[in-house]
Amino acid sequence: MTSIGGAGMVDWNLAVATATRLVRPGPEISREEAREVVAELRRHAKAAEEHVRSFTRMIPEGTEPEDTPVLVVDRAGWIKANVAGFRELLRPLLEKMEERRGGGAGGAVLGAVGSKVTGVEVGMLLSFLASRVLGQYETFAPATRELPASADGGGRLLLVAPNIVHVERELEVDPHDFRLWVALHEETHRTQFTAVPWLRDHLQGEIQSFLDETDVDPMTVLERLREAAQSLAGGRPEGEEGEDGGRSLVEIVQTPAQREILGRLTAVMSLLEGHADYVMDGVGPEVVSSVGEIREKFQQRRARGASRLDQALRKLLGLDAKLRQYRDGERFVRAVVDEVGMDGFNRVWTSPNTLPTKAEIAGPEDWIARVHRKAES
């Protein structure tokens, strides 16, 4: 894992070691309580599977989709899993950057800095994220000895136990209800990918097309990584922005072709995140007695963020866009289900051609007209 292409752009082992060393400790919890939390999360993941299948009707009765493992992990486990995924997904981009490193001022600087510095900076960013993620369906998850995945080499559900405990305490909500509520959201993502066999390949193809179109100066990426890492280390004055106005890592590498691909990716991610929120709220009232309180407090937490540093890093890493995806996607799903019902909404999973566009996420009536009324005429 120490190099990708030639001398290597990122020391991934060092990224793991750095992130694991720097990540903040989880909440204080006894060994016995930790075991109980892990066991309960596993039970909730299993229960959520049945609740989500019944509510979404994405999986026909009598069929059994591909099984994917459910892993309850700590922050270090989340870091290891995501480094493995990043390494595979970013391989084409890093190989291209490695080729460009040989010439020009940017290449010379990168050659001097080396993969170890870049590994430290990636590790610092991962340490920031590792204390914030509650759960994650890893779509592109290479199996390892410690972290199994589905048989085809991708797919596992991660629940990050210390983060879930931290948030339930912070919000002062019923811990048992909150754990099930989180499991419902993440299980919806697992159902999306296991019930729709083409979705993973389609998403991977879009991401790879985005990376293939990248024509980026390695120095620009290095500077952006350093900017984020220095923010975490307190090395950059609070509130200071670069000449480009503090754009995210994704935004700085866009070509015209990439903007088109990114629009499609944004629409798909808005659909997936919004659908998960819609299902979580739809199932919630029947199985989570305090869902109203949990939802209200969690939405306030999402909107509030934390410090100015947290807000700056969220902007840099593109996390603000993810928050908009939850909101916009949920509105799209709700509007479509209200108009054509759950089975009508499920036409969205028919093929890549029936996925909503970015414009249709904002105007669900246009998706209904294209997919339903055109088909019926």
Side-chain angles (χ1 to χ4, degrees):
M1 291 177 60
T2 55
S3 65
I4 297 178
M9 293 290 295
V10 181
D11 186 330
W12 293 103
N13 284 343
L14 186 56
V16 170
T18 301
T20 303
R21 184 177 71 254
L22 294 179
V23 71
R24 293 183 296 180
E28 292 186 8
I29 187 171
S30 69
R31 188 181 299 272
E32 180 59 32
E33 186 179 1
R35 282 196 291 264
E36 291 174 358
V37 170
V38 170
E40 182 173 18
L41 285 172
R42 286 175 176 153
R43 291 196 302 272
H44 283 331
K46 184 63 179 176
E49 185 178 358
E50 296 304 319
H51 294 313
V52 169
R53 289 186 183 186
S54 176
F55 183 82
T56 64
R57 302 200 289 274
M58 291 179 66
I59 300 175
E61 291 187 15
T63 63
E64 195 64 32
E66 179 185 17
D67 187 35
T68 55
V70 177
L71 307 178
V72 181
V73 298
D74 59 10
R75 291 170 177 175
W78 181 88
I79 289 167
K80 292 175 183 176
N82 277 269
V83 164
F86 290 160
R87 178 175 181 260
E88 291 302 313
L89 199 59
L90 296 177
R91 185 186 297 273
L93 174 62
L94 294 178
E95 288 178 342
K96 180 182 291 188
M97 290 174 65
E98 176 71 17
E99 291 175 2
R100 292 193 61 177
R101 192 173 74 171
V109 172
L110 270 175
V113 171
S115 64
K116 292 191 179 300
V117 172
T118 311
V120 168
E121 290 168 344
V122 170
M124 292 177 74
L125 297 181
L126 286 170
S127 73
F128 170 79
L129 295 171
S131 62
R132 284 158 172 77
V133 177
L134 301 182
Q136 172 185 357
Y137 183 76
E138 275 205 296
T139 314
F140 314 108
T144 67
R145 184 177 59 185
E146 297 177 337
L147 296 163
S150 64
D152 67 351
R156 58 182 168 228
L157 180 61
L158 304 180
L159 296 171
V160 190
N163 296 349
I164 293 172
V165 171
H166 170 78
V167 174
E168 70 192 24
R169 290 179 178 179
E170 177 187 334
L171 298 182
E172 297 181 337
V173 293
D174 181 279
H176 309 293
D177 282 359
F178 184 74
R179 293 165 196 174
L180 177 55
W181 189 72
V182 171
L184 288 169
H185 181 100
E186 303 307 332
E187 176 57 39
T188 302
H189 287 316
R190 184 164 73 145
T191 298
Q192 290 164 348
F193 283 94
T194 55
V196 185
W198 55 263
L199 184 58
R200 177 180 180 270
D201 288 341
H202 172 73
L203 193 58
Q204 185 174 31
E206 291 281 56
I207 293 171
Q208 291 303 329
S209 295
F210 182 89
L211 297 178
D212 289 343
E213 289 291 336
T214 297
D215 184 21
V216 61
D217 177 10
M219 187 60 188
T220 303
V221 175
L222 180 62
E223 288 175 348
R224 187 60 65 190
L225 284 171
R226 180 171 295 110
E227 178 182 316
Q230 287 176 347
S231 294
L232 283 172
R236 182 173 181 229
E238 187 175 354
E240 179 183 315
E241 291 190 352
E243 293 179 359
D244 58 16
R247 289 181 294 166
S248 73
L249 282 166
V250 170
E251 290 171 320
I252 66 169
V253 299
Q254 286 188 57
T255 64
Q258 282 182 300
R259 282 193 288 274
E260 182 178 342
I261 299 168
L262 189 62
R264 296 196 299 267
L265 279 170
T266 299
V268 174
M269 298 311 298
S270 296
L271 170 69
L272 298 179
E273 296 294 357
H275 183 236
D277 265 12
Y278 178 82
V279 172
M280 184 168 58
D281 288 346
V283 175
E286 296 184 8
V287 299
V288 181
S289 59
S290 59
V291 65
E293 177 191 5
I294 291 173
R295 182 65 160 158
E296 181 180 1
K297 289 184 175 180
F298 195 77
Q299 287 286 64
Q300 290 173 355
R301 182 180 186 273
R302 268 183 184 171
R304 184 173 63 245
S307 64
R308 289 178 65 188
L309 170 61
D310 186 77
Q311 292 169 3
L313 283 166
R314 285 193 338 191
K315 167 68 176 175
L316 177 64
L317 299 172
L319 300 183
D320 280 344
K322 186 174 178 66
L323 296 180
R324 291 194 296 273
Q325 289 168 7
Y326 285 112
R327 182 185 64 244
D328 297 344
E330 196 273 342
R331 280 202 296 255
F332 170 83
V333 176
R334 186 173 301 280
V336 172
V337 173
D338 286 348
E339 180 70 21
V340 298
M342 184 63 76
D343 291 334
F345 165 78
N346 280 340
R347 287 195 190 181
V348 79
W349 312 116
T350 304
S351 75
N353 292 330
T354 55
L355 291 172
T357 65
K358 189 176 179 180
E360 288 169 343
I361 289 288
E365 65 280 358
D366 294 333
W367 181 86
I368 293 171
R370 178 172 67 87
V371 173
H372 281 267
R373 294 175 188 144
K374 183 178 179 180
E376 293 164 2
S377 61

